[in-house]
């Protein structure tokens, strides 16, 4: 470090150790040090002062609704890079926990799409036990209750959240997520409600909060922001799981803009090395084809494409059925499955034969839509 930087660093470090103006000092360190230096400092300080674990890492696994959403926000950010550094301290410390969560999350989503709600519930309970409450858990719980036809239980859970947790962010997000998980809610209605509520006030001091809600509730529609750094600042009060998942969404958005692609690539590469999260591979391969791994290339998927494009529709149908049972989240294959039946002039057959499964419900709806479009074109 240069001399001026060293002086600033030691001055800030002294304030942290003295506990007076600790937040100001931590904010100075966050904006002053590079990531390696910040890692060294955090490792050293948390050994000396146990309460600093909360300052650096927040409450990564809140065990009760009452404590969920509590954390320290370190003032208005200067640079997005600095907020990533601070957030990534937690990912570095708890990378093994993230790896296990991603596996459980995959299992929950798999069972849910297959219509095996009992297994979904068991996995969700395991996630709650191991990782505590999170915005992700709240939405998953709402979704599961809705598809278990337990709408009253869903309302009771929302009421429980509002009674136990006084955090404005948690309550507002839970309110909208309970709507989003309703079967009969129109996506257009949901988007309209978000836009009408969070664009109503034009006050500058509320702009960042409104942008956070809009991005958090539907980043597909609300991803163009002037400053993304406040998203990370607000999210640092939530669980480790929420911070990680929001960071992934943010990296996807940053990878779309030429000015931020280098930043997105470097952060995605760091996280992939820590977590082996396969969701990061498209961001990496987009910039560097040499990073293609055997996990990125799905041989079974390629076999299905080969069957389909060579006219072997019956073979493709059987292969897709087998594939979907193991990996139901690949919705691209539903289109190919449906087109196989259309090309064979056959009525569609459910993939799973389970009327409770979302996979079969989605397949039937897409089939009717494509069949109608095909008939009109004829």
């Amino acid at each position: 470090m240069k001399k001026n930087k060293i002086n600033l660093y030691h001055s800030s470090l002294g304030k942290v150790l003295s506990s007076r103006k600790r937040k100001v000092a931590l904010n100075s360190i966050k904006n002053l040090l590079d990531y390696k230096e910040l890692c060294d400092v955090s490792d050293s300080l948390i050994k000396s002062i146990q309460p600093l674990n909360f300052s650096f890492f927040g409450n990564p696994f809140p065990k009760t609704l009452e404590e969920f959403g509590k954390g320290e926000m370190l003032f208005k950010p200067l640079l997005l890079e600095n907020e990533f550094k601070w957030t990534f301290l937690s990912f570095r410390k708890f990378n093994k926990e993230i790896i296990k969560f991603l596996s459980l999350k995959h299992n929950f989503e798999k069972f849910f799409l297959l219509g095996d709600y009992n297994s979904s519930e068991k996995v969700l309970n395991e996630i709650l036990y191991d990782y505590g409450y999170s915005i992700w858990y709240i939405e998953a719980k709402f979704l599961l209750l809705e598809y278990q036809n337990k709408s009253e239980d869903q309302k009771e859970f929302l009421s429980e959240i509002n009674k136990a947790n006084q955090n404005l962010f948690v309550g507002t997000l839970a309110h909208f997520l309970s709507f989003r998980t309703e079967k009969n809610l129109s996506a257009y209605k949901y988007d309209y409600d978000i836009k009408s509520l969070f664009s109503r006030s034009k006050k500058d001091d509320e702009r960042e909060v409104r942008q956070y809600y809009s991005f958090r509730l539907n980043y597909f529609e609300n991803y163009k922001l002037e400053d993304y750094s406040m998203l990370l600042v607000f999210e640092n009060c939530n669980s480790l799981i929420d911070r990680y998942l929001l960071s992934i969404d943010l990296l996807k958005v940053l990878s779309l803009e030429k000015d931020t692609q280098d930043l997105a690539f470097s952060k995605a590469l760091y996280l992939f090395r820590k977590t082996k999260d396969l969701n990061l591979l498209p961001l990496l391969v987009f910039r560097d084809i040499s990073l293609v791994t055997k996990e990125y290339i799905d041989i079974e998927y390629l076999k299905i494409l080969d069957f389909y494009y060579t006219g072997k529709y019956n073979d493709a149908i059987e292969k897709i059925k087998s594939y979907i049972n193991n990996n139901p989240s690949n919705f691209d294959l539903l289109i190919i499955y449906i087109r196989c039946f259309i090309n064979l002039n056959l009525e569609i057959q459910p993939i799973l034969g389970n009327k409770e499964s979302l996979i079969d419900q989605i397949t039937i709806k897409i089939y009717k839509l494509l069949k109608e479009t095909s008939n009109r074109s004829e």
Side-chain angles (χ1 to χ4, degrees):
M1 288 189 284
K2 293 181 180 180
K3 186 174 181 180
N4 288 341
K5 190 175 179 181
I6 291 174
N7 291 337
L8 286 170
Y9 162 65
H10 283 296
S11 173
S12 298
L13 191 59
K15 290 177 182 177
V16 173
L17 293 172
S18 69
S19 82
R20 298 185 62 186
K21 296 185 178 180
R22 179 170 287 170
K23 288 185 180 180
V24 177
L26 286 171
N27 195 56
S28 296
I29 290 175
K30 177 186 72 175
N31 292 318
L32 179 67
L33 304 181
D34 63 32
Y35 185 62
K36 184 179 184 306
E37 294 166 343
L38 192 58
C39 290
D40 292 340
V41 168
S42 66
D43 290 344
S44 177
L45 285 176
I46 61 176
K47 290 178 182 177
S48 305
I49 309 173
Q50 200 65 25
L52 282 178
N53 272 283
F54 184 76
S55 298
F56 279 106
F57 309 119
N59 189 350
F61 312 114
K63 294 301 182 184
T64 66
L65 283 169
E66 287 82 358
E67 65 185 74
F68 176 44
K70 294 180 180 179
E72 294 184 0
M73 283 196 260
L74 297 179
F75 308 102
K76 189 174 179 65
L78 297 180
L79 293 170
L80 178 58
E81 167 68 28
N82 294 345
E83 299 312 315
F84 269 126
K85 286 188 305 185
W86 191 262
T87 302
F88 278 30
L89 287 176
S90 296
F91 302 158
R92 170 178 173 263
K93 181 176 177 62
F94 299 107
N95 69 302
K96 292 180 181 178
E97 288 81 356
I98 292 173
I99 291 170
K100 183 183 176 184
F101 166 76
L102 291 174
S103 176
L104 290 172
K105 176 176 178 289
H106 171 79
N107 290 338
F108 169 80
E109 293 169 349
K110 172 184 173 179
F111 290 133
F112 182 80
L113 289 171
L114 294 176
D116 186 353
Y117 300 133
N118 289 332
S119 295
S120 293
E121 187 172 6
K122 289 178 182 178
V123 175
L124 197 59
N125 288 336
E126 184 178 354
I127 290 173
L128 178 62
Y129 181 82
D130 288 343
Y131 301 98
Y133 287 92
S134 63
I135 296 299
W136 180 88
Y137 169 83
I138 288 173
E139 182 176 16
K141 181 74 171 180
F142 281 145
L143 194 62
L144 184 59
L145 290 173
E146 178 72 10
Y147 279 83
Q148 288 176 320
N149 297 315
K150 297 179 179 179
S151 56
E152 289 303 314
D153 289 355
Q154 188 193 54
K155 293 175 183 176
E156 288 179 12
F157 182 48
L158 178 60
S159 178
E160 180 186 351
I161 293 170
N162 291 329
K163 287 179 181 178
N165 191 290
Q166 302 304 309
N167 184 291
L168 179 63
F169 288 135
V170 172
T172 302
L173 291 174
H175 174 77
F176 276 95
L177 292 176
S178 70
F179 288 157
R180 185 162 80 177
T181 54
E182 292 180 4
K183 293 179 185 178
N184 299 322
L185 177 69
S186 161
Y188 296 108
K189 175 70 166 59
Y190 177 77
D191 292 339
Y192 175 80
D193 287 346
I194 291 175
K195 288 181 179 179
S196 62
L197 179 61
F198 296 118
S199 15
R200 187 179 302 162
S201 174
K202 302 299 182 183
K203 295 179 182 178
D204 288 340
D205 59 344
E206 297 177 1
R207 178 177 56 84
E208 291 165 340
V209 174
R210 289 186 284 108
Q211 288 182 345
Y212 169 74
Y213 282 132
S214 298
F215 186 93
R216 198 66 176 76
L217 292 166
N218 188 357
Y219 82 91
F220 294 104
E221 290 286 331
N222 306 290
Y223 63 88
K224 291 189 176 181
L225 306 179
E226 294 177 11
D227 179 19
Y228 295 98
S229 55
M230 281 305 298
L231 298 176
L232 295 174
V233 172
F234 288 136
E235 199 67 20
N236 270 329
C237 291
N238 285 337
S239 73
L240 177 80
I241 299 312
D242 294 326
R243 287 176 246 168
Y244 181 80
L245 295 177
L246 181 128
S247 294
I248 299 302
D249 290 342
L250 181 51
L251 290 178
K252 291 176 182 177
V253 170
L254 294 175
S255 69
L256 300 175
E257 298 293 334
K258 187 175 181 180
D259 292 343
T260 52
Q261 283 178 352
D262 288 342
L263 176 64
F265 176 77
S266 65
K267 300 306 176 189
L269 183 59
Y270 176 85
L271 288 182
F272 182 72
R273 288 170 174 167
K274 288 290 182 183
T275 66
K276 302 302 179 185
D277 185 353
L278 298 182
N279 292 306
L280 292 164
L281 281 177
L283 300 181
L284 300 177
V285 175
F286 174 72
R287 290 299 304 276
D288 188 351
I289 195 67
S290 68
L291 293 172
V292 170
T293 64
K294 62 180 181 180
E295 292 86 1
Y296 186 72
I297 301 173
D298 190 336
I299 299 298
E300 295 305 309
Y301 180 76
L302 294 177
K303 287 180 181 178
I304 291 170
L305 293 181
D306 187 55
F307 282 140
Y308 176 75
Y309 285 110
T310 56
K312 298 177 181 178
Y313 302 126
N314 287 312
D315 290 333
I317 288 170
E318 293 306 313
K319 197 73 175 175
I320 290 171
K321 285 183 176 181
S322 174
Y323 186 100
I324 290 295
N325 267 289
N326 293 311
N327 186 11
S329 62
N330 193 327
F331 293 109
D332 291 341
L333 286 181
L334 301 186
I335 304 294
I336 295 176
Y337 181 80
I338 292 164
R339 291 205 174 277
C340 285
F341 281 91
I342 293 175
N343 292 339
L344 289 169
N345 293 316
L346 296 175
E347 285 297 312
I348 193 73
Q349 296 295 320
I351 295 177
L352 304 172
N354 177 6
K355 64 180 182 179
E356 295 296 322
S357 75
L358 267 177
I359 287 296
D360 281 348
Q361 294 174 33
I362 293 169
T363 302
I364 297 300
K365 288 182 179 180
I366 296 176
Y367 171 75
K368 290 179 180 178
L369 181 63
L370 290 179
K371 189 73 172 176
E372 182 181 337
T373 304
S374 177
N375 290 338
R376 282 203 304 264
S377 66
E378 291 173 1

